[in-house]
């Protein structure tokens, strides 16, 4: 009962279609085609009790043997500026996570959480302050997309795994989720519409490259050298910048999928022109050879000021100058457009406020 889900019951939304087929034929003694009907309905957010093309007796049998609960809306904030919707979702065991729906011209994108809390300890990040509570199950990962889609009433076509938690620290559940979400019979969101952001678990990057999952990988680099990076990201003590970039080059070599790099600009910590020159040198050196090289894209994110960390956002001039250095060295740099600035849309802070107010 670690995550509040009754272990005697089957977490039906975590099952793949073939696992569901086995369950339907072997446990329920029903025809195999029923599995597809059930799968399609539960992935739309319909509770097994309410699947109208099944007999009442079968619905009851499923309900008796299976658990089906979507995250519920504990709080919801809508940006008056750009329509970004931020959810604080409650889970079966009362824990909370955050998801954000952003509206772009090319469709709706959801940013989902991968764990309750995080144990990576990045110094600037609100999600990691209380440590990791637990991993999310595949159904809880999927449930965020289903619940948000049903609430907004609009199709979600893109997913970014950039919310609370480190997705590669919850590897098996995340991989299962990625396979589920791409299913034609379910949400049908293809791998090319999914990005996963990681602080750089090198062993898992190699593992991911062996799977046939053409998602986009984003790496939270945030510093060009070990000294600067270790000071803000403890994971760098385990795998340094050089090892991380070697894993990135390998990932690109195997998958041919471009990796983008995130770089959070923190005033006086990592935002000088020298830092930018070094970053360009390191990226070009590690990822480009004379014959071939991977196109490099750096996403610059002015740090979101979190009360507890005391880090300050870089000034606009410093941000522009940093981007200009990268561009001069042949690296595409974009400054992330800030959506939902009036609702504190970056992940981690709403859950933190909510946890704090419950403690008080
Ligand atoms: N654990 C994953 C994904 C979650 S964080 C990762 O590290 O990539 C998503 C992105 O937001 C990461 O690049 C992270 O470093 C960044 N981030 C976290 N706190 C931030 C803050 N206060 N301001 C700006 N970016 C932040």
């Amino acid at each position: 009962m670690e995550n509040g889900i009754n272990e005697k019951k089957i977490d039906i939304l975590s099952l793949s279609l073939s696992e569901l087929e086995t369950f339907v034929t072997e446990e329920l003694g029903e025809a195999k085609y029923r599995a597809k009907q059930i799968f399609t309905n539960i992935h739309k957010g319909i509770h097994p009790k309410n699947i109208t093309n099944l007999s009442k007796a079968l619905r009851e049998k499923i309900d008796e043997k299976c658990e089906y609960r979507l995250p519920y809306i504990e709080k919801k904030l809508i940006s008056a500026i750009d329509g970004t919707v931020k959810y604080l979702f409650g889970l079966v065991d009362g824990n909370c996570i955050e998801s954000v729906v952003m509206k772009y011209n090319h469709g709706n994108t959801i940013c989902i959480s991968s764990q309750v809390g995080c144990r990576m300890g990045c110094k600037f990040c609100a999600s990691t302050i209380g440590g990791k509570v637990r991993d999310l199950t595949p159904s809880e990962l999927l449930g965020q997309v289903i619940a948000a889609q049903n609430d907004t009433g609009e199709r979600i076509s893109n997913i970014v795994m950039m919310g609370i938690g480190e997705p590669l620290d919850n590897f098996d559940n995340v991989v299962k989720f990625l396979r589920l979400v791409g299913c034609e019979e379910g949400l049908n969101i293809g791998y090319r519409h999914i990005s996963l952001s990681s602080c750089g678990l090198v062993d898992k990057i190699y593992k991911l490259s062996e799977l046939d999952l053409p998602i986009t990988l984003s790496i939270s680099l945030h510093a060009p050298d070990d000294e600067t990076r270790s000071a803000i990201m403890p994971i760098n003590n385990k795998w340094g910048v050089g090892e991380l970039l070697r894993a990135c080059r390998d990932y690109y070599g195997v998958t041919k999928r471009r990796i983008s790099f995130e770089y959070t600009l923190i005033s006086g910590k990592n935002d000088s022109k020298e830092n930018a020159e070094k970053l360009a040198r390191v990226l070009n050196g590690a990822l480009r050879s004379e014959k071939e090289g991977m196109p490099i894209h750096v996403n610059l994110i002015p740090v979101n000021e979190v009360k507890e960390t005391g880090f300050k956002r870089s000034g606009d001039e410093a941000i522009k100058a940093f981007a200009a250095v990268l561009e001069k060295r042949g690296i595409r740099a974009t400054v992330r457009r800030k959506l939902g600035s009036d609702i504190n849309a970056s992940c981690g802070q709403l859950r933190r406020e909510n946890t704090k107010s419950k403690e008080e």
Side-chain angles (χ1 to χ4, degrees), residues 301-315:
I301 317 165
V303 77
N304 233 295
E305 296 180 6
V306 175
K307 249 199 316 268
E308 290 87 340
T309 68
F311 289 154
K312 292 269 167 280
R313 188 183 187 283
S314 306

Side-chain angles (χ1 to χ4, degrees), residues 145-262:
V145 188
I146 298 172
Q149 186 162 273
N150 284 359
D151 182 64
T152 57
E154 288 176 29
R155 178 173 147 80
I156 288 172
S157 48
N158 296 277
I159 300 174
V160 295
M161 305 197 76
M162 285 192 187
I164 298 170
E166 166 51 49
L168 296 185
D169 189 38
N170 183 15
F171 193 86
D172 293 344
N173 288 346
V174 164
V175 168
K176 187 146 198 208
F177 157 74
L178 293 171
R179 299 205 193 280
L180 281 171
V181 85
C183 274
E184 256 176 57
E185 297 82 359
L187 287 173
N188 196 16
I189 302 177
Y191 296 129
R192 281 162 210 283
H193 298 273
I194 302 176
S195 309
L196 184 153
S197 175
S198 172
C199 66
L201 304 190
V202 164
D203 57 341
K204 299 291 169 25
I205 296 172
Y206 285 112
K207 209 168 148 189
L208 191 66
S209 70
E210 286 163 13
L211 305 175
D212 186 23
L213 289 173
I215 54 167
T216 302
L217 188 59
S218 294
I219 295 295
S220 300
L221 193 57
H222 303 326
D225 58 71
D226 287 334
E227 197 188 338
T228 316
R229 193 163 191 264
S230 294
I232 49 174
M233 299 179 74
I235 191 69
N236 199 70
N237 293 311
K238 186 153 187 190
W239 291 289
V241 173
E243 272 174 297
L244 176 56
L245 293 180
R246 265 196 300 282
C248 292
R249 194 178 51 192
D250 177 85
Y251 184 88
Y252 179 70
V254 174
T255 64
K256 290 284 167 264
R257 299 286 295 159
R258 183 170 70 83
I259 296 178
S260 66
F261 294 92
E262 286 152 281

Side-chain angles (χ1 to χ4, degrees), residues 246-317:
R246 265 196 300 282
C248 292
R249 194 178 51 192
D250 177 85
Y251 184 88
Y252 179 70
V254 174
T255 64
K256 290 284 167 264
R257 299 286 295 159
R258 183 170 70 83
I259 296 178
S260 66
F261 294 92
E262 286 152 281
Y263 196 102
T264 294
L265 289 161
I266 309 170
S267 181
K269 295 272 177 210
N270 63 356
D271 65 340
S272 68
K273 272 193 183 172
E274 291 71 41
N275 291 141
E277 287 288 358
K278 207 186 244 180
L279 180 65
R281 222 171 27 248
V282 163
L283 288 177
N284 282 329
L287 304 172
R288 288 191 172 143
S289 62
E290 271 177 27
K291 270 195 249 123
E292 60 166 330
M294 127 181 174
I296 307 174
H297 180 206
V298 174
N299 219 327
L300 297 170
I301 317 165
V303 77
N304 233 295
E305 296 180 6
V306 175
K307 249 199 316 268
E308 290 87 340
T309 68
F311 289 154
K312 292 269 167 280
R313 188 183 187 283
S314 306
D316 289 342
E317 284 307 310

